Amino acid sequence: MTENPIYGIVAEFADPGLLVAAVAAVHSRGYRKVETYTPYPIHEVEEILEPGPERRLPRLVLAGGILGTLTAWGMQYYIAAIDYPLNIGGRPLNSWPAFIVIMFELTILFASLTAFFGMLGLCGLPLPHHPLFNLRRFALCSKNRFFLCVEAADPLFEVLEVADLLAGLDPLEVSEVYED
Amino acid sequence: MIIEEQQRHAQRRPDPDVTLPVIGPSQTFSIVTEQISSVPLRRKMPLLWQITFGIGLLLVFVLLISATYLFGKGVGIFGIQIPVAWGFAITNFVWWIGIGHAGTLISAFLLLLNQSWRNSINRFAEAMTIFAVACAGMFPLLHLGRPWLFYWILPYPNTMTVQPQFRSPLVWDVFAVSTYATVSVVFWYLGMIPDLAALRDQSTSRLKYAFYGVLCWGWRGGSRHWRLHESASLLLAGLATPLVLSVHTVVSFDFTIAILPGWHSTIFPPYFVAGAIYSGFAMVLVLALPIRAVFGLHNLITERHINNCAKLMLATGLILAYAYLIEPFTAWYGGSQFEIYAFHNRAFGPYAWAFWLVIACNVAIPQLLWIPRIRISPKPLFVISLAVLYGMWLERYMIIITSLHRDYVPSAWFNFTATIWDNAILFGSIGLFITLFALFVRFLPMISMYEVRTLLPFSAPDGRSEK
Amino acid sequence: MPSIERDFIPVENLTGGDRECDERPTETSRRRFLELMGASLALAGASGCTRQPPEFILPYVEPPEHAIPGRPRYYATAVPAFGGAEGVIVETHLGRPTKVEGNPAHPASLGAASVRSQASVLDLYDPDRAREVTYLGSTRTWDDFLSAFRLRIEPLRPRNGAGFRLLTETVCSPSLGAQIQAVLTAFPEAVWHQYEPAGDHSARAGAQLAFGRPLNCYFRLDHADVILALDSDFLACGRNSTRMARDFATRRRQGNRLDMNRLYAVECTVSATGGKADHRLPVRYSEVESVARELTNALTSKGAPPSSGKNSAWIAAAAQDLLAHRGRSAIIAGEQQSPVVHALAHQMNAALGNVGKTVNYTEPLEVRPEDEIESLRALMRDMDAGGVEVLLIVGGNPVYNAPADLAFAERLRKVKTAVHAGLHFDETSQLCDWHVPASHFFEEWSDTRAFDGTVTILQPMIEPLYETRSILALLDGIRQYPPRSSYEIVRAYWAGQHKGADFEAWWRKSVCDGLVADSAMPPIEPGLTAWQPQAAADQPGGPEVVFRPDPYIHDGSWSNNNWLQELPRPITKLTWDNAVHLSPTTARNLSLKNEDLVRLRCGARSVEGAVWISQGQPDDSVTVHLGFGRTRGGRAANGAGFNAYLLRTSDAMWAGAPLAIDKTGRTYRLATTQPQQEMAGRDLILENTPEGYRRDPDFVSRTQPEPPKDESLYPTWRYAEHAWGMSIDLTACVNCNACVAACQAENNIPVVGKEEVLRHRAMHWIRIDTYYKGDPERPTLYYQPVPCMQCENAPCELVCPVQATNHSSEGLNDMVYNRCVGTRYCSNNCPYKVRRFNFFLFQDWVTESIKMQRNPDVSVRSRGVMEKCTYCVQRIREAEIRATTQDRRIREGEIQTACQQSCPTQAIVFGDINRPDSQVSRLKAEKLNYALLAELNTRPRTTYLAELRNPNPVLKGEGV
């Protein structure tokens, strides 16, 4: 037994089906700080657990895109018509049709970067270390094991109850995870 | 047993095309994971890989030498002159950019269409895109008269207070290509994060653990991670799809915006995009077929994939053929003597050989793909793909050279002949591509593990068996 | 590296330059030493060095005390040339001659300048010039030479100088003549020989036949309605062509172009004049004489009916036309035609009563006209006889260019002491004991005569670059020690000649104006002799070879001039080589194609040359140009082309027959700047006849309609202050390429060399496109000068990614070299392909003397940047600054572009199209005005006036 505060209790399953069942059970008991760790996305689980901040991503991306459009147009108009107006082949200073291409490109660029970094940000990444990594078998979660974690942060959290509950869900193993 | 799995699979994920399996029989999470991660992690590379890599490196040296000589002497070492002021460099640029397109298309477009078969080929298709764009990116620099001043094409605050000229398609190119490169890298990397985590977890040494650990940003595979990851992927796919279509459109503007007969044509954007995807899928096959053989990935890259790629090639090839057909028609219908001459000159002038070779490689030969057996037999496919790649390079060569060498004023007409340095740079870039790709195969998971896992039957038996 | 050099030149101008001057005596040795070490910083000073001659020379416009550094100074002088000197004005910067312009006051120039005059400044700075006196190849001083030479000729004094021979080229310089006379008086038994390889031999002999004595003959074509050229290229590269082209064009534009003159050309090789002719008759060299006979018979109504030859119709029509214009016609015999043709031409002109009207005669320009071939033969005889102890060869290069049968080189060995004085250490110098370097005519005082005898006193505008002396001083040194300077000699001579008071004022004025007032020789009306041509000798069959001096490097004396070597030849556009010109039929019969290497054999002599099939060349006639195939000519000259002199014999100076042409099976690449000379059915050049124009004045606007200006969604740009524009008159252009040469000199345009021309990378900013049309045997030729069109909707600007090319407020399509990154997109998008790219470092950043020629007002481009015609923007700016300082508007005609200034026919007119009164506006308002490729809506500022030709209605179908 270590002195570190407990992070949560983890159950390891060999089968995504069992995991989904377990999640349903735990969720029905009113536990909310529950998280699953799987080798690939399992939509059934996502259907049970409430969505978090990830809903905000599309809106962020939209904003990024609009910002890109405006940046591109502003830059081109300023440079071509205000900063250093030059007669280029007798064309008007604000040749907006010619500016559309770059407006489009920057829209995509800004939006894409927002999507990538937005996703990392909302995931709370980068996070080089996490208490779960203390659990050696957790490495299998990127291969062929399915983990369910009830976090200590949950108001209803009670070590023994949770452990019993999980043990009853046909896991390969149930283990306590400690902060470090 | 297998059948049941197939059926369950089918129930779980309705798949339009089950004539050929997306993935080989009796695969399990661990087998797949082992198989894919074993390449970068443990396995000593097979001889064929080493030979390919060696050739690649050799050509890279050729590239370095030519580039050095080029910067020392000037672009005069190429065959270009007035009137043909663009030659191999721009041809190669357009060619490579085009090749890139298939990758993005597979990863983004097919994802949007929920084409699950893409999952086992999208990773290296994307890698192909990135390396192709890298190769393409060199050429605008190499062809400059004063390459050391290339950054003047970028808008940045400077003491000269002079900025780029945004009406020029070359500036559009800079933005389009750099955006394209960035988005492709982001998309590729995003998709790789879970697999990098897997590699981290599989890794045998501290060093590898740290290496992949850093690369995967501490990915844990939590449901929230997965949800964000999926929505980010979809968003990027949604953004990348119009982007990929725009890139070659913009590249085609380099020609259509000019007033040269043979360049100044509104059909170019769709025509170029189709050609790009065409050559792209050819390159996908040229890469996939050997890799599949060398690393024994028949279970992951199945006949289904090859068949689909071949079909896509055939389709885009037909679009291209239509463009070939309609171009001279519009010229004739437009009635401009210059346009008419340009196309007559293309087909019967000094560069007729190029024109007819293009027709042979891009229109005639690929018609073999109508035959189903050919679509799934590697050797013929490989040859056809090579023909298409050559044909597509030649097409760009033809468009650039024949339009330039005889334009408006006959007194300025002059023929283009390539020098050894033109060829050195072309093959050098091919070498660079080979080298980069070989390195990718060596150090990164060439197939997306987590996406393959989703293709596996919902509950795998090995879980218990390993208990 | 280059950028470093460029940075230093101005610095040196200010500092190092002056320092250099003070230590001038050691200058030469120091320069040579440093040159061995390659281009170096210290040396760059030489390029900035002010090298004013010690004597008091007179600037053309303002007195010297008003000299302002950075402001060019202009000096009047003349370029001695075959058939009469051309008066020029030399622009100098800080004492460095940089540009040669025509002298408007001079009759032979009227402001224009021939190609050779333009290029003479490059000869001055030729790095291959001889720089010191040499004895058997080792360096000596001038005093060494003078004392050694005196040792040689003193023993001859008792024998009155017998055994002393002087060999010069044709001498037209009065003071030089006087010098030679002085030498001859000092050595009465000495003999003076003259030989010029491409001289006026036939003209002198012809005059001898017609008048019994040599006479100078010149034409006033501005009074000629009908001109017949008997194998004469009087428009582009004949004698006095600058002036003749001007008169021809003036007359051609008369009466709003509706009252044009008519030009008939009979010729045996395709010349610019033939291409311009309204009727061109290609005949073999030997047939020109018979054509001349038929014409004479037809004109001098000796009853002899025109023979029923294949050309009789043509000849009859021409004769009719000539007879219809008695006193207003001119018959011009080509310098290379036989004496008989010249004599017949004299007779015809007399018969037509042209003498004194369109044809003028004066006493000869030569100090001592003589049969130079005979003179040379005599010298050879005496050499064989061992009678020649001391041979002083002044100028010329007989070892290279003497008739092959005289074997000058072998005979030269028999001479005890041979001395060669010349600009270069050439083939002749090599076989002489002594070589003494002569000064360039921009470095010394001298004088010369123009076609009508007008005298120009040549003044130097730069101190000799190397330890050279003028010929005058050299000859003076033979008689006395120390020799007088060329200044003293020339001044003394004219002091002797000058009658009336105040010689000083006269001298000042003459030197200042660049010509001696009323020094033209009085016209005379010589009586014809009873000479009649004997019956035509039966013409030898088989192919004949025709020798022509090269249009630019002439007899080879200019062959080390890079500009001239790379200047496209008028019709073929060949550079850096001469060729074996064949007619298409002849080539077909011999199954030869372009660039096939053939061996030409005349008896025992033979030479190898590359074939060039030139349309309009008569069959069985092979034209080769002289002046190429030098072995000791310098870096540019050596190895360029083949030496046609090897075929040339003293009895067949201009044409030899029979000739054998053997295929060698090998090929030799010829560098032409325009491989495609068919117009591919495009309306690039609009043409009509005066009648057609009168009947349908709007034919131009119908064939080349310009899209209306307001057909745009966007507002068009306004050019409020000035709007520069250019008009080029295709009727006037005679394809002499003077504009190209002028542009090259004015704008520091680099020479790229044969290899790069072969890759089509020549850099000329203006080119004269030449097209063939119709039957390859008798084609019609078209000339079209193409500078930058300065489009208002410039396609090049639109595609430049870095704004390196954009529009000025005056509508100029500016090119910003410093900003250019070299994408070459602008060139791709230029429908006229007038942009030129520095694919390599084409500019010579190393050779010091070449740097001295550069125009300081024009930036010297480096590698990797695009360049093109700027409408000579530096001249525009200069004028604008001048106008501003004088608080006035720029005057109409104040700005002349280099091409316009040098154009002998004034085909190019530049000006402000915002001013309705400007000449260019008036020309653009003409109905003949059209824009090239107008349908592209590029709105060129450079427009053309459609070409008008004036064919004889009688000769319809008879191939123009």
Side-chain angles (χ1 to χ4, degrees), chain B residues 137-304:
Chain B
M138 313 188 296
F139 286 104
L141 260 68
L142 290 179
H143 102 296
L144 283 185
R146 304 202 289 173
W148 53 92
L149 297 177
F150 72 94
Y151 59 88
W152 284 359
I153 304 182
L154 306 169
Y156 69 100
N158 60 77
T159 51
M160 300 174 288
T161 74
V162 187
Q163 297 290 350
Q165 201 274 100
F166 292 108
R167 298 167 193 81
S168 166
L170 291 185
V171 179
W172 304 348
D173 268 354
V174 172
F175 279 86
V177 172
S178 50
T179 303
Y180 184 47
T182 320
V183 173
S184 308
V185 171
V186 166
F187 197 14
W188 181 62
Y189 185 60
L190 180 77
M192 223 168 4
I193 287 178
D195 288 2
L196 291 167
L199 288 179
R200 172 196 63 199
D201 300 342
Q202 308 292 318
S203 56
T204 47
S205 74
R206 290 297 303 168
L207 183 67
K208 285 179 184 161
Y209 183 87
F211 177 68
Y212 293 113
V214 168
L215 278 184
C216 74
W217 301 61
W219 173 268
R220 296 194 300 283
S223 63
R224 169 170 301 153
H225 283 190
W226 281 122
R227 209 177 299 179
L228 278 161
H229 189 271
E230 273 194 316
S231 70
S233 304
L234 281 172
L235 285 163
L236 276 177
L239 292 164
T241 307
L243 175 64
V244 72
L245 297 183
S246 83
V247 172
H248 229 54
T249 305
V250 172
V251 169
S252 77
F253 286 164
D254 289 352
F255 305 106
T256 53
I257 296 296
I259 60 177
L260 233 57
W263 280 12
H264 189 63
S265 141
T266 48
I267 197 176
F268 266 38
Y271 165 19
F272 267 50
V273 171
I277 298 163
Y278 190 37
S279 57
F281 275 102
M283 185 57 99
V284 169
L285 284 173
V286 167
L287 295 172
L289 294 168
I291 286 179
R292 175 168 178 261
V294 173
F295 298 101
L297 301 174
H298 300 76
N299 53 345
L300 301 176
I301 305 175
T302 62
E303 294 188 334
R304 166 87 177 280

Side-chain angles (χ1 to χ4, degrees), chain C residues 210-390:
Chain C
F211 307 113
R213 64 193 178 110
L215 284 175
N216 173 41
C217 165
Y218 66 91
F219 297 86
R220 296 292 311 280
L221 295 184
D222 45 346
H223 299 123
D225 297 341
V226 179
I227 303 163
L228 177 80
L230 289 168
D231 200 14
S232 161
D233 190 4
F234 68 90
L235 284 178
C237 33
R239 59 196 306 242
N240 187 28
S241 56
T242 307
R243 171 62 184 271
M244 285 169 93
R246 160 70 78 85
D247 293 346
F248 173 78
T250 317
R251 183 63 191 73
R252 209 160 178 75
R253 280 185 286 226
Q254 188 168 300
N256 191 24
R257 292 182 177 68
L258 292 174
D259 170 25
M260 288 175 73
N261 57 6
R262 180 173 294 137
L263 171 60
Y264 297 86
V266 181
E267 51 179 18
C268 65
T269 184
V270 195
S271 77
T273 308
K276 200 70 201 166
D278 302 301
H279 292 285
R280 177 175 182 278
L281 182 65
V283 298
R284 306 175 67 224
Y285 180 92
S286 43
E287 289 166 7
V288 174
E289 191 171 312
S290 53
V291 172
R293 289 168 193 280
E294 288 187 39
L295 268 166
T296 325
N297 296 344
L299 295 179
T300 58
S301 60
K302 278 199 214 55
S307 73
S308 58
K310 59 181 188 302
N311 304 323
S312 51
W314 195 95
I315 294 167
Q320 280 312 314
D321 214 354
L322 287 163
L323 285 167
H325 295 85
R326 292 177 169 281
R328 300 194 56 76
S329 55
I331 291 160
I332 308 171
E335 297 84 5
Q336 292 82 23
Q337 268 304 329
S338 65
V340 176
V341 171
H342 279 263
L344 290 170
H346 291 309
Q347 289 187 341
M348 285 188 268
N349 280 323
L352 290 166
N354 296 334
V355 181
K357 301 194 180 72
T358 59
V359 186
N360 290 355
Y361 292 98
T362 72
E363 293 304 325
L365 305 176
E366 299 93 333
V367 171
R368 192 188 76 189
E370 64 180 331
D371 182 342
E372 296 182 352
I373 312 300
E374 201 34 60
S375 166
L376 194 62
R377 283 213 192 87
L379 177 62
M380 297 296 110
R381 278 196 298 275
D382 298 353
M383 282 182 174
D384 291 340
V388 182
E389 293 180 34
V390 179

Side-chain angles (χ1 to χ4, degrees), chain B residues 71-72 76 78 80-82 85-86 143 145-146 152 163 165 168 254 258-260 338 407-408 410-411 414, chain C residues 682 758-761 769 797-801 803 818 820-825 828-829 833 839-840 863 935:
Chain B
F71 293 148
F78 296 142
I80 47 175
Q81 12 79 359
I82 310 295
W86 284 357
H143 102 296
R146 304 202 289 173
W152 284 359
Q163 297 290 350
Q165 201 274 100
S168 166
D254 289 352
I259 60 177
L260 233 57
F338 304 113
D407 62 344
Y408 288 101
S411 67
F414 197 75
Chain C
R682 304 184 171 186
L758 279 170
R759 296 204 189 90
H760 219 247
R761 293 170 178 175
D769 292 347
E797 294 175 3
L798 186 66
V799 296
C800 175
Q803 318 207 82
N818 295 356
C820 178
V821 295
T823 67
R824 304 181 298 285
Y825 199 174
N828 288 351
N829 210 27
K833 289 289 173 285
F839 287 92
F840 290 121
R863 172 189 132 195
E935 70 264 44

